[in-house]
Amino acid sequence: MSFFQISFLTDLRVRITRWRTWALVLLLPLLIFFAARILPAEEVSTPVQVGVVLPETGGGDFWRRLEERSGLVVTFQEAACDQAERYVAAGRWDCALVLPEDFEERLAGRDLEGMFDLLIGPGSAVYPMVRETVAACLAECISPGMAEDYLVDSGIVEEGDLAWIRPRLEEVLLDQDRVLVSMETVDGAPLDPLALADSGVANLLAGLTAILILIWVLLTAMDLGRWLDSPAAQRLAPLRGRISLLLPRLAAALLPALCAGVLALTAAENPRAVGALVPYLLFWAAVALVLALRRTAWGVLPVLMPFVPVLGVLLSPVLLDLSTLFPTLAPVIRWNPITLFLRACGGSWTDGLLLAAGGTAIVFLLLASDRAKSRSR
């Protein structure tokens, strides 16, 4: 067998006997598995429930318009006042809308100030959207009457002629005559609420896996740096070269990380992310080699290690893309290896190839530099 194979198998055999290796291989998939089930799929895809308390008489036209706006994001449910209060307090409904008993009279008189009561709880989140929807439905209800008043007051139409023009005022515009709003994500992809919710959970789990693997790689870089300073490595380095010594040990250290990542992403039911894991690991393996070769670099890693998870979350779109709030961070976040990994998980294989190309280039440069130094001796 070659030196690489002997060194790889020897180091892998040693690592298999360590509890830290099995902690990674077992705990990471279990962590992702339970994290994926904290938020069941049905809760991710179920629309937010909003209660609507109608008056005993009237409000039918307004309720019909609200029902037309029920969809993938918000669903309006008719309810009694006491039921709405209970459900909002218990968190079953996000909020509830209460119409006054004299709703029709106030609507006819255009008395809209303080017309609705909105019941919200500590966990309510979509009530601003509900207020906008209610305002749109209310505008639809009163717009024909407002248009009649304007036509008469401006002298465009006589009051006696309103009977024949009223059907025109109540017509619904066709799509080509409307101002339509299309929603998309920051990167320009069409916004599908359900797909966006599912991708948010998958993004979070993939990002958590990537950060934990990054921590493992940095710990491996410290181990390699310490080993490279040992007497045995110092004696072998002039014969084999430092990179040739580190590569099999690095491969043996990252194999458990690869297995743990595959199991974790499989537990998260994200098969596309499994393919993106290889270029991600290849890139960080190359960075680990660079760090291991410099004592000052791997020597400061214990101090920097607590900041790695925080920076990993903040400087990548694991939870939130901060570049939307701070545009100056956009280049840092866009080219962050964790961001490239997440984009590769989403199907952008060019980002995965970029990671693989970067890692491969670094390894070849290190090998070429190591061989050049060996020849000069």
Side-chain angles (χ1 to χ4, degrees):
M1 288 193 295
S2 66
F3 173 81
F4 184 93
Q5 292 174 315
I6 295 173
S7 180
F8 170 78
L9 294 175
T10 302
D11 195 65
L12 182 62
R13 192 178 300 112
V14 172
R15 290 184 177 276
I16 289 176
T17 61
R18 295 177 181 173
W19 67 269
R20 193 173 75 177
T21 302
W22 290 105
L24 173 73
V25 174
L26 297 178
L27 290 183
L28 178 57
L30 288 176
L31 175 64
I32 299 301
F33 176 82
F34 287 114
R37 275 128 190 100
I38 288 176
L39 186 61
E42 58 186 22
E43 293 185 13
V44 175
S45 58
T46 299
V48 176
Q49 305 292 312
V50 175
V52 179
V53 180
L54 298 175
E56 293 186 4
T57 58
D61 183 46
F62 178 80
W63 169 242
R64 178 181 60 80
R65 298 179 189 277
L66 271 182
E67 278 191 310
E68 290 175 353
R69 285 168 168 79
S70 292
L72 299 176
V73 179
V74 177
T75 298
F76 295 96
Q77 303 284 347
E78 186 177 357
C81 188
D82 58 344
Q83 180 190 9
E85 292 176 350
R86 290 197 314 270
Y87 279 22
V88 171
R92 294 185 60 181
W93 288 352
D94 184 88
C95 56
L97 182 71
V98 181
L99 277 64
E101 290 298 327
D102 58 346
F103 176 77
E104 291 293 344
E105 290 79 6
R106 295 182 65 175
L107 194 65
R110 314 281 199 278
D111 182 15
L112 308 179
E113 185 69 27
M115 176 177 282
F116 302 100
D117 291 329
L118 189 63
L119 306 178
I120 63 174
S124 297
V126 302
Y127 62 89
M129 183 188 300
V130 172
R131 286 190 301 211
E132 297 295 331
T133 304
V134 169
C137 293
L138 192 62
E140 287 184 2
C141 291
I142 66 174
S143 57
M146 293 177 63
E148 290 180 11
D149 294 343
Y150 172 77
L151 292 174
V152 173
D153 293 341
S154 61
I156 298 176
V157 176
E158 298 292 334
E159 190 168 355
D161 297 331
L162 286 176
W164 65 268
I165 202 173
R166 187 169 291 124
R168 292 287 306 275
L169 299 178
E170 295 178 353
E171 285 182 357
V172 178
L173 292 177
L174 299 176
D175 288 345
Q176 60 265 28
D177 299 324
R178 298 183 184 184
V179 177
L180 300 177
V181 178
S182 60
M183 297 184 294
E184 61 182 28
T185 59
V186 177
D187 57 359
L191 191 151
D192 180 0
L194 289 182
L196 190 62
D198 292 336
S199 66
V201 175
N203 205 57
L204 174 62
L205 297 176
L208 179 61
T209 303
I211 292 172
L212 293 176
I213 287 178
L214 171 58
I215 294 174
W216 176 268
V217 173
L218 295 180
L219 292 173
T220 300
M222 288 191 292
D223 290 341
L224 293 177
R226 293 192 192 97
W227 179 81
L228 200 58
D229 279 351
S230 66
Q234 293 292 334
R235 288 192 296 269
L236 286 173
L239 301 175
R240 305 293 308 183
R242 295 190 300 172
I243 301 301
S244 298
L245 291 179
L246 291 178
L247 279 176
R249 300 181 69 90
L250 178 63
L254 295 187
L255 182 59
L258 177 61
C259 296
V262 170
L263 292 175
L265 296 174
T266 302
E269 299 178 358
N270 193 356
R272 285 195 299 184
V274 174
L277 192 60
V278 175
Y280 178 74
L281 264 176
L282 178 59
F283 176 82
W284 283 119
V287 173
L289 285 176
V290 175
L291 295 175
L293 292 174
R294 291 163 177 80
R295 177 190 288 271
T296 54
W298 61 261
V300 299
L301 286 180
V303 179
L304 300 178
M305 198 65 70
F307 301 99
V308 172
V310 178
L311 293 176
V313 172
L314 293 180
L315 298 181
S316 65
V318 174
L319 291 176
L320 173 67
D321 189 353
L322 288 181
S323 62
T324 58
L325 302 176
F326 307 101
T328 54
L329 292 176
V332 178
I333 294 176
R334 172 62 182 89
W335 301 110
N336 187 333
I338 298 178
T339 304
L340 296 177
F341 169 71
L342 294 177
R343 291 171 65 89
C345 293
S348 177
W349 289 107
T350 54
D351 293 279
L353 292 175
L354 186 62
L355 283 172
T360 304
I362 293 173
V363 172
F364 274 112
L365 287 175
L366 291 175
L367 285 171
S369 175
D370 206 35
R371 290 176 181 174
K373 289 179 180 179
S374 299
R375 290 172 183 173
S376 64
R377 287 172 183 169

